[in-house]
Amino acid sequence: MTKIDLLFIQIMKSALSDRSFELPAGIAIRDIEQLLQTADHHSVLPFVYEAIIQSLSDLSLHSDAIEKYRNDAVRSVMLQIEKTGRFLQLYRSLRSSGLCPLVVKGLFCRHLYKRPSYRASVDEDVLVSSGDFAQADRMLLSKGLQYMEDYRDVGSEYEILYVQSPEYYEIHKSLFDPDDQVLSCFNRYFKDAEKGSVSFKVDDVELQTLDYSRHMLYLILHVFKHFLFSGFGIRQICDITLLANQYGKDIDWEFVIGSCRELHAYDFMCAVFKISEHYLTLDRLGSGIPEEILDNEIDESTLLEDVMNAGIMGAGDINRLHSSNITLQAVRNRDSEPSDMKRGSSNTHTRHRIMKLKRLMAALFPSYALIKRRYAYLERFPFLLPLSWLQRMISYVKDIRKYKQDNPLKALEIGEARTEILRKYHII
Amino acid sequence: MSKRYTQHPDLVLTQVCGEYLLVALRPAFDDCPYVNRLSPVEADYWLLLSEGKDLDEIASICAKKMNIDPRKARLLLLIATKKMLNAGYLTEEETQ
């Protein structure tokens, strides 16, 4: 991690308590600009700018770039205020029609912050039962919302994205893709979610959400999912920190721990909470988190470095996004991967090289099941699978050129490096 | 006859990264924009209105603060008033 990364995390720690941060004397304007760029990368620009605004004035640190970031921060907050307002209106309509959708992530996480509108959300996520989906769909369309994509059969999708600028709404029938080999099993922990739901208030609107135990598990598994793909940013750890601090005593930690163990996410979860305690504002006593999590010997620094490089939802750079092909393949074949302990033997070394080659081949030539969602024609013409591979490779080359990447193999390198991180946290 | 301005009760003035924003609470959603930027003069005006001061008093205070002619201050406030009336932030009534 760079000195800017460390400074950024220190500022975020202050921001979570809504405290100002005093910048070190003599800090260069260039460093401030880099700091703000990092904050923007992690979608926490308003938090960081607000925390250092007094210090910037005291140290007379100004530049056009810093002013641009300030304006971006203000615009981000204004946009979020408007989006929240629109969502509250829509939610009231859904409730008044007899539905009881559960708000997950987004607005729920936002209400945990002292300055809620500083935490931006691209969209609002809502969970409805399969039985309620048709009515919810009709209601949303009647309000002028439109489908974001050209869905062949809305009823068969597990999540539908609606748009009514500037707002995006994701309506889920299940929280994770039920057809995904890796993620489908995550859903079993959220069956009958509406039965134990709890309410929270934003403005004068009462909203329903998952119970706190399931919401904590959902936030952990959500970042775990992104970690398997291409990573996630610091803001997700901030969400988890605040949820633990504010509702930790109402969380069934044994349920969270047990679920994570079953999903090979235990060490990952421990690393997240260790980052939360050592670098952010997790209250060990107040949250009631079991000591086995915070005193776990797992090294959290590797995860933190990955988080800092990833940016929000792992979109740090285009190579990172493409590297998910490698990491996901490693998870799918987790039982075939050589373990850390056996690495010494030449037989395992050979197996390791074979697995690496298999991952590469799977990344270049994914199976029909994995790729059919992206290329709709494959549903009707599955024999065109080789054509879809070619299309995909051309799309990758275009991305490489568009983002001016010199090394076309960098995605593979990142993928292999991140696979080692998965191994370190015993995910594979 | 003079005019009296009443503020919409469901608005909150706040500061974000050094900028003043007037934010509508849920009951005001049908009457006003969800959020709007206010200049420092407009923000001062809003705060002083909430203290029950009239336009002439506010113009005098703003003129001293900005070190400008009171007539110019009054003109700025009239422009601000029009903006706020159009946005639904203020309602106007004639008084004796």
Side-chain angles (χ1 to χ4, degrees):
Chain A
M1 286 206 297
T2 65
K3 65 170 187 181
I4 299 296
D5 288 342
L6 285 167
L7 181 62
F8 165 71
I9 292 171
Q10 287 171 341
I11 294 172
M12 275 310 298
K13 183 175 180 175
S14 290
L16 288 183
S17 304
D18 202 25
R19 287 196 328 261
S20 291
F21 183 87
E22 207 172 304
L23 292 163
I27 188 168
I29 285 183
R30 186 180 63 250
D31 288 340
I32 297 293
E33 290 169 358
Q34 211 177 324
L35 170 72
L36 294 173
Q37 185 185 51
T38 300
D40 197 24
H41 227 165
H42 285 264
S43 211
V44 291
L45 181 58
F47 288 112
V48 168
Y49 198 98
E50 190 72 59
I52 64 172
I53 191 171
Q54 186 58 52
S55 197
L56 287 174
S57 173
D58 294 344
L59 297 174
S60 300
L61 291 165
H62 308 286
S63 74
D64 288 345
I66 291 174
E67 180 60 17
K68 181 187 175 304
Y69 280 120
R70 189 188 75 86
N71 271 311
D72 287 346
V74 174
R75 271 202 299 273
S76 166
V77 173
M78 290 179 71
L79 181 61
Q80 190 55 66
I81 289 172
E82 181 176 347
K83 285 161 72 172
T84 298
R86 287 175 183 273
F87 178 70
L88 290 177
Q89 301 276 63
L90 188 70
Y91 189 85
R92 288 178 86 224
S93 299
L94 288 168
R95 288 303 304 267
S96 64
S97 70
L99 295 169
C100 189
L102 303 186
V103 174
V104 294
K105 294 191 287 137
L107 187 51
F108 174 74
C109 290
R110 214 152 43 245
H111 105 287
L112 299 172
Y113 289 77
K114 291 185 193 289
R115 294 178 189 257
S117 297
Y118 282 38
R119 186 216 180 270
S121 292
V122 171
D123 59 13
E124 293 299 340
D125 292 271
V126 171
L127 177 66
V128 298
S129 65
S130 295
D132 285 346
F133 173 73
Q135 187 183 350
D137 179 58
R138 278 196 303 274
M139 163 72 73
L140 294 172
L141 295 175
S142 74
K143 293 284 178 189
L145 275 73
Q146 295 178 328
Y147 297 132
M148 182 73 180
E149 295 172 21
D150 191 17
Y151 298 104
R152 275 191 53 204
D153 176 15
V154 163
S156 66
E157 298 285 340
Y158 85 97
E159 64 179 14
I160 306 289
L161 193 58
Y162 298 81
V163 60
Q164 186 176 48
S165 192
E167 189 70 18
Y168 296 88
Y169 305 102
E170 205 158 29
I171 308 299
H172 300 261
K173 283 181 254 178
S174 63
L175 293 174
F176 299 94
D177 186 350
D179 294 328
D180 187 281
Q181 180 190 346
V182 173
L183 303 177
S184 60
C185 58
F186 291 13
N187 285 316
R188 66 174 180 253
Y189 304 100
F190 304 98
K191 284 197 166 88
D192 301 325
E194 64 280 357
K195 285 197 180 142
S197 66
V198 298
S199 65
F200 69 104
K201 231 173 181 180
V202 174
D203 209 328
D204 66 350
V205 179
E206 194 165 294
L207 305 111
Q208 293 296 118
T209 187
L210 298 170
D211 63 79
Y212 302 121
S213 303
R214 277 200 257 216
H215 219 134
M216 176 57 82
L217 180 63
Y218 177 53
L219 292 186
I220 292 170
L221 294 184
H222 182 73
V223 296
F224 184 58
K225 176 187 92 171
H226 280 282
F227 182 61
L228 298 181
F229 275 71
S230 53
F232 61 97
I234 197 74
R235 197 192 69 192
Q236 280 63 43
I237 302 186
C238 293
D239 291 345
I240 288 171
T241 302
L242 294 181
L243 177 56
N245 283 347
Q246 292 179 38
Y247 295 107
K249 294 282 195 222
D250 297 314
I251 290 173
D252 179 353
W253 289 106
E254 291 310 313
F255 162 72
V256 175
I257 289 170
S259 308
C260 288
R261 280 197 197 280
E262 288 171 3
L263 297 172
H264 305 271
Y266 178 75
D267 282 345
F268 168 82
M269 174 196 64
C270 292
V272 166
F273 281 114
K274 287 181 77 170
I275 291 171
S276 188
E277 184 183 39
H278 295 162
Y279 296 94
L280 297 175
T281 58
L282 183 70
D283 177 358
R284 180 184 275 245
L285 288 176
S287 64
I289 281 192
E291 287 181 358
E292 70 165 271
I293 294 177
L294 296 174
D295 294 339
N296 188 302
E297 283 177 4
I298 200 75
D299 173 24
E300 78 277 11
S301 62
T302 306
L303 176 60
L304 182 59
E305 186 138 3
D306 191 66
V307 165
M308 290 312 302
N309 289 334
I312 193 78
M313 295 310 179
D317 71 49
I318 191 67
N319 290 307
R320 197 170 237 271
L321 286 171
H322 283 291
S323 73
S324 63
N325 292 308
I326 300 293
T327 49
L328 287 173
Q329 194 57 32
V331 177
R332 287 184 198 109
N333 294 325
R334 67 155 56 99
D335 293 330
S336 309
E337 289 284 330
S339 73
D340 248 349
M341 291 173 63
K342 295 179 192 168
R343 278 298 204 70
S345 77
S346 62
N347 188 36
T348 304
H349 187 65
T350 304
R351 269 183 68 205
H352 180 67
R353 288 172 73 181
I354 291 171
M355 291 311 300
K356 195 170 170 179
L357 184 60
K358 274 188 172 177
R359 283 196 295 272
L360 174 59
M361 296 305 289
L364 290 173
F365 308 109
S367 68
Y368 167 78
L370 289 174
I371 204 173
K372 65 177 180 176
R373 271 234 171 98
R374 187 170 165 184
Y375 299 100
Y377 59 78
L378 287 176
E379 291 255 24
R380 288 189 65 194
F381 309 110
F383 58 87
L384 290 177
L385 182 61
L387 176 63
S388 69
W389 290 338
L390 184 60
Q391 257 187 288
R392 198 162 157 274
M393 284 179 206
I394 292 171
S395 170
Y396 177 66
V397 169
K398 280 183 181 171
D399 275 346
I400 294 296
R401 283 189 183 155
K402 181 180 171 186
Y403 293 98
K404 297 185 175 60
Q405 298 296 315
D406 297 327
N407 182 1
L409 299 177
K410 190 154 182 224
L412 299 174
E413 289 169 14
I414 293 175
E416 285 303 323
R418 296 199 72 248
T419 300
E420 289 309 303
I421 299 177
L422 300 188
R423 208 186 305 278
K424 176 173 180 168
Y425 291 111
H426 304 112
I427 296 168
I428 60 172
Chain B
M1 291 257 275
S2 62
K3 290 180 183 172
R4 199 183 123 176
Y5 300 104
T6 306
Q7 293 171 306
H8 196 299
D10 296 306
L11 296 168
V12 174
L13 180 68
T14 187
Q15 221 177 351
V16 169
C17 299
E19 200 92 16
Y20 290 102
L21 301 182
L22 198 56
V23 180
L25 299 175
R26 213 267 320 149
F29 285 174
D30 290 335
D31 305 326
C32 310
Y34 291 104
V35 62
N36 224 335
R37 280 194 219 225
L38 295 187
S39 68
V41 169
E42 290 164 346
D44 281 344
Y45 181 37
W46 185 263
L47 279 169
L48 292 168
L49 271 178
S50 69
E51 291 172 13
K53 293 184 169 38
D54 65 31
L55 191 62
D56 290 324
E57 286 174 288
I58 297 174
S60 175
I61 294 169
C62 287
K64 279 185 191 145
K65 187 174 178 183
M66 295 193 301
N67 197 26
I68 58 174
D69 188 290
R71 284 171 298 181
K72 187 174 179 186
R74 198 168 197 282
L75 180 61
L76 288 173
L77 293 178
L78 284 172
I79 295 170
T81 302
K82 190 175 178 195
K83 174 182 168 182
M84 291 182 185
L85 283 168
N86 287 342
Y89 295 152
L90 296 177
T91 50
E92 180 183 66
E93 58 180 280
E94 308 273 349
T95 59
Q96 295 289 343

